[in-house]
């Protein structure tokens, strides 16, 4: 996650210095805590939060749980992880739905925080979860805010209640109240009210937001905060807490390149949980906030659970079973490969998914250089093939490959590379499907693993004599090959076998010549 990139690097460097030590002294702990304090301050975390955080880490690091641990460095990492989870809110907080629909969710925050786009993301997320949301356009001040919400609603496939054109025209409190009544009449179970913001906190903004809250009596008030605004996030959050009183926080723009200290400060300062995070510009770049998973990402420990959840949402279990059977029976085709690529692309950004793997923070340069459009190019090549060619790539001769390259806008070299990758992947997956462990290029075989070894080839018949004349004679069948000598190792200690013959004068002369005598 880009927002915490610098913080992750600093913490990783700090812990790297601990791994070489079998036992930690008080000076080691103090030096580590000092580096953590600097990393957090550089990341724009609020000073009070940093003091409390480092104080708890130091106290626990000097305690028995580290001094008696077999691996003190790992124990310190665990302590930092636990304390990060604490300042991020501890437990995940879910939306609380009303016992009698509709559930009213009000969005509040400064202008530019991303409330309108987030309204569409939240609506789409709720729709996927089986709800019937309605968007209410109560931001009548910002130019074209109503139009933007209508466009976002259309993209999300969610209706929008917008009786007023906006641009300074209309009463936002009345629109919000009428929107809830409209949802009751049309049996929508969730209402998301988009409200106006300001470039800064002022009395008019707080009064309008407070009036809307009184009018609709929301079940949830979500404070949308830009994760890139730094130290000002804490002051803004406190102002909205006093003026409107929100129930949860939504972090937007977590894909930015800012230092991200706002995320680590708000939950601790306000006492309100972070409930959702917006991680990109697309409507699907939205996820519930898990404090423990976010702490793992910051410490470069990965987020496998979120990765698994995304895979479960986008991959069909029945289809996966069929593909596994095709791997085992060697009937996996380029059509199946294309379907797998399309499902993978449906999960979202490949870079983000790879970033959820443990230790990927050490491969930032490779991740940055990864081209997501490679999947699109692969799809274009496969879709330029005929059904027969996808089913049996072995028929792809030179003319066919040239036609496919022209049809997909690629080169013949790229077509050849795709076919080669497909064949290698099919072989590897076939080995895995049969319970073996494939040999990965650049790596040796896994010790103790069952691999598909090639059958030993029969040895070629013929003489292996070191004497050129004798070897030629034996290969011509003129001299019978002597039987193996019996006796001790290396052919010593045994008597002459019955089938052996004495060397001829020509052979002795050739042997002397060979030995240089």
């Amino acid at each position: 996650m880009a927002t915490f990139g610098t913080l992750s690097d600093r913490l990783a460097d700090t812990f790297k210095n601990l791994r070489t030590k079998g036992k930690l002294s008080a000076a080691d702990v103090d030096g580590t805590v000092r580096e953590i304090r600097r990393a957090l301050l550089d990341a724009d975390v609020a000073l009070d939060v940093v003091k409390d955080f480092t104080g708890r880490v130091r106290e626990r690091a000097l305690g028995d749980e580290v001094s008696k641990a077999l691996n003190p460095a790992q124990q310190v990492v665990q302590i930092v992880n636990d304390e990060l989870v604490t300042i991020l809110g501890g437990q995940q907080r879910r939306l609380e739905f009303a016992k009698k629909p509709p559930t009213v969710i009000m969005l509040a925050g400064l202008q530019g925080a991303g409330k309108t786009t987030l309204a569409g993301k939240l609506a789409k997320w709720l729709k996927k979860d089986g709800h019937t949301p309605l968007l209410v356009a109560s931001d009548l001040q910002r130019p074209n805010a109503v139009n933007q919400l209508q466009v976002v609603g259309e993209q999300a496939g969610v209706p929008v209640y917008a009786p007023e054109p906006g641009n300074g025209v209309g009463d936002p409190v009345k629109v919000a109240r009428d929107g809830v009544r409209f949802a009751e009449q049309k049996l929508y179970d969730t209402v998301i009210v988009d409200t106006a913001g300001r470039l800064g906190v002022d009395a008019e903004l707080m009064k309008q937001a407070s009036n809307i809250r009184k009018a609709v009596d929301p079940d949830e008030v979500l404070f949308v905060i830009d994760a890139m605004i730094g130290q000002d996030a804490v002051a803004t959050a406190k102002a909205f807490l006093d003026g409107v009183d929100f129930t949860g926080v939504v972090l937007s723009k977590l894909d930015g390149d800012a230092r991200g200290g706002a995320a680590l400060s708000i939950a601790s300062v306000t006492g309100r949980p972070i409930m959702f995070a917006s991680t990109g510009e697309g409507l699907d770049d939205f996820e519930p906030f898990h404090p423990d998973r976010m702490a793992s990402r910051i410490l470069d420990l990965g987020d496998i659970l979120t990765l698994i959840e995304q895979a479960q949402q986008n991959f069909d279990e029945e289809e996966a079973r069929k593909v596994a059977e095709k791997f085992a029976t060697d009937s996996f085709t380029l059509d199946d490969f294309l379907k797998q690529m399309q499902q993978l692309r449906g999960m979202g950004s490949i870079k983000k998914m790879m970033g959820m793997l443990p230790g990927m923070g050490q491969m930032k340069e490779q991740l940055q250089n990864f081209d997501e459009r490679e999947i699109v190019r692969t799809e274009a090549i496969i879709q330029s093939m005929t059904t027969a060619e996808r089913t049996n790539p072995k028929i792809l001769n030179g003319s066919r490959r040239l036609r496919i390259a022209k049809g997909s806008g690629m080169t013949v070299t790229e077509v050849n590379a795709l076919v080669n990758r497909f064949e290698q992947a099919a072989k590897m997956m076939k080995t895995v499907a049969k319970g073996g462990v494939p040999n990965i290029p650049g790596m040796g075989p896994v010790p103790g693993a069952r691999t598909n070894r090639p059958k030993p080839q029969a040895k070629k018949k013929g003489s292996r004599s070191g004497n050129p004349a004798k070897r030629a004679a034996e290969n011509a069948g003129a001299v019978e090959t002597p039987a193996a000598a019996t006796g001790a190792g290396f052919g010593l200690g045994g008597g002459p076998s019955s089938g052996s013959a004495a060397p001829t004068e020509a052979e002795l002369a050739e042997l002397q010549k060979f030995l240089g005598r």
Side-chain angles (χ1 to χ4, degrees), residues 25 50 106 127 136 141 227 231 240 249 264 313 342 371 437:
S25 64
V50 173
M106 174 182 167
K127 185 179 179 181
V136 176
Q141 178 178 341
Q231 288 284 350
F240 271 89
V249 179
L264 300 178
Q313 292 173 4
Q342 290 172 338
D371 189 358
V437 178

Side-chain angles (χ1 to χ4, degrees), residues 64-370:
D64 290 341
E65 60 180 312
V66 172
S67 61
K68 295 181 180 180
L70 294 177
N71 192 325
Q74 290 183 358
Q75 198 67 30
V76 172
V77 174
Q78 182 62 48
I79 290 172
V80 174
N81 182 74
D82 293 344
E83 296 302 328
L84 275 177
V85 173
T86 300
I87 68 172
L88 287 171
Q91 298 293 327
Q92 184 201 13
R93 159 85 149 76
R94 297 176 179 270
L95 283 175
E96 293 183 358
F97 293 94
K99 295 181 180 179
K100 180 181 178 183
T103 299
V104 180
I105 302 173
M106 174 182 167
L107 303 182
L110 293 179
Q111 184 174 314
K115 292 191 302 299
T116 302
T117 304
L118 192 129
K121 293 181 177 183
L122 178 59
K124 187 174 183 179
W125 182 79
L126 289 169
K127 185 179 179 181
K128 283 183 179 179
D129 206 31
H131 295 278
T132 54
L134 172 72
L135 294 172
V136 176
S138 290
D139 183 358
L140 306 180
Q141 178 178 341
R142 181 169 61 87
N144 295 320
V146 175
N147 291 338
Q148 182 188 356
L149 187 65
Q150 289 172 332
V151 171
V152 169
E154 184 179 355
Q155 293 174 344
V158 175
V160 178
Y161 180 78
E164 299 289 351
N167 297 324
V169 178
D171 182 2
V173 178
K174 182 177 184 300
V175 170
R177 186 188 301 113
D178 293 346
V180 175
R181 291 175 182 171
F182 179 81
E184 292 174 348
Q185 296 170 1
K186 300 297 181 179
L187 301 181
Y188 292 103
D189 70 351
T190 312
V191 179
I192 302 173
V193 182
D194 181 28
T195 64
R198 297 289 191 282
L199 294 176
V201 177
D202 60 20
E204 185 181 355
L205 166 65
M206 290 304 171
K207 182 179 180 181
Q208 184 183 110
S210 179
N211 290 339
I212 292 176
R213 172 163 189 162
K214 293 176 182 177
V216 300
D217 189 21
D219 300 281
E220 297 278 9
V221 179
L222 301 183
F223 172 57
V224 183
I225 183 71
D226 185 346
M228 299 172 65
I229 67 174
Q231 288 284 350
D232 196 40
V234 175
T236 304
K238 287 182 177 179
F240 271 89
L241 185 65
D242 296 336
V244 184
D245 189 18
F246 50 86
T247 59
V249 179
V250 180
L251 292 174
S252 65
K253 304 179 185 179
L254 272 183
D255 57 324
D257 56 0
R259 289 174 285 187
L264 300 178
S265 305
I266 288 180
S268 180
V269 171
T270 64
R272 300 293 188 269
I274 303 173
M275 298 176 62
F276 296 99
S278 174
T279 57
E281 296 180 359
L283 292 184
D284 291 318
D285 297 327
F286 178 79
E287 59 188 43
F289 187 87
H290 298 267
D292 54 341
R293 301 183 190 181
M294 184 59 67
S296 294
R297 291 192 204 183
I298 293 173
L299 295 177
D300 196 22
L301 302 177
D303 188 0
I304 299 298
L305 290 177
T306 300
L307 190 59
I308 292 173
E309 289 176 358
Q310 290 184 3
Q312 290 175 339
Q313 292 173 4
N314 290 276
F315 279 85
D316 185 2
E317 186 175 350
E318 180 64 22
E319 184 68 24
R321 186 184 62 79
K322 292 179 181 178
V323 169
E325 291 177 357
K326 289 186 176 183
F327 277 130
T329 57
D330 203 14
S331 59
F332 187 72
T333 67
L334 279 165
D335 259 330
D336 301 315
F337 185 62
L338 178 62
K339 291 179 182 177
Q340 294 297 305
M341 296 287 286
Q342 290 172 338
Q343 285 188 335
L344 183 63
R345 194 172 67 163
M347 290 179 63
S349 171
I350 305 296
K351 288 183 182 180
K352 289 181 181 177
M353 288 188 291
M354 293 175 67
M356 294 180 188
L357 298 174
M360 290 305 291
Q362 303 172 16
M363 303 178 64
K364 282 187 176 181
E365 185 175 350
Q366 291 89 327
L367 282 178
Q368 290 299 324
N369 294 333
F370 178 76

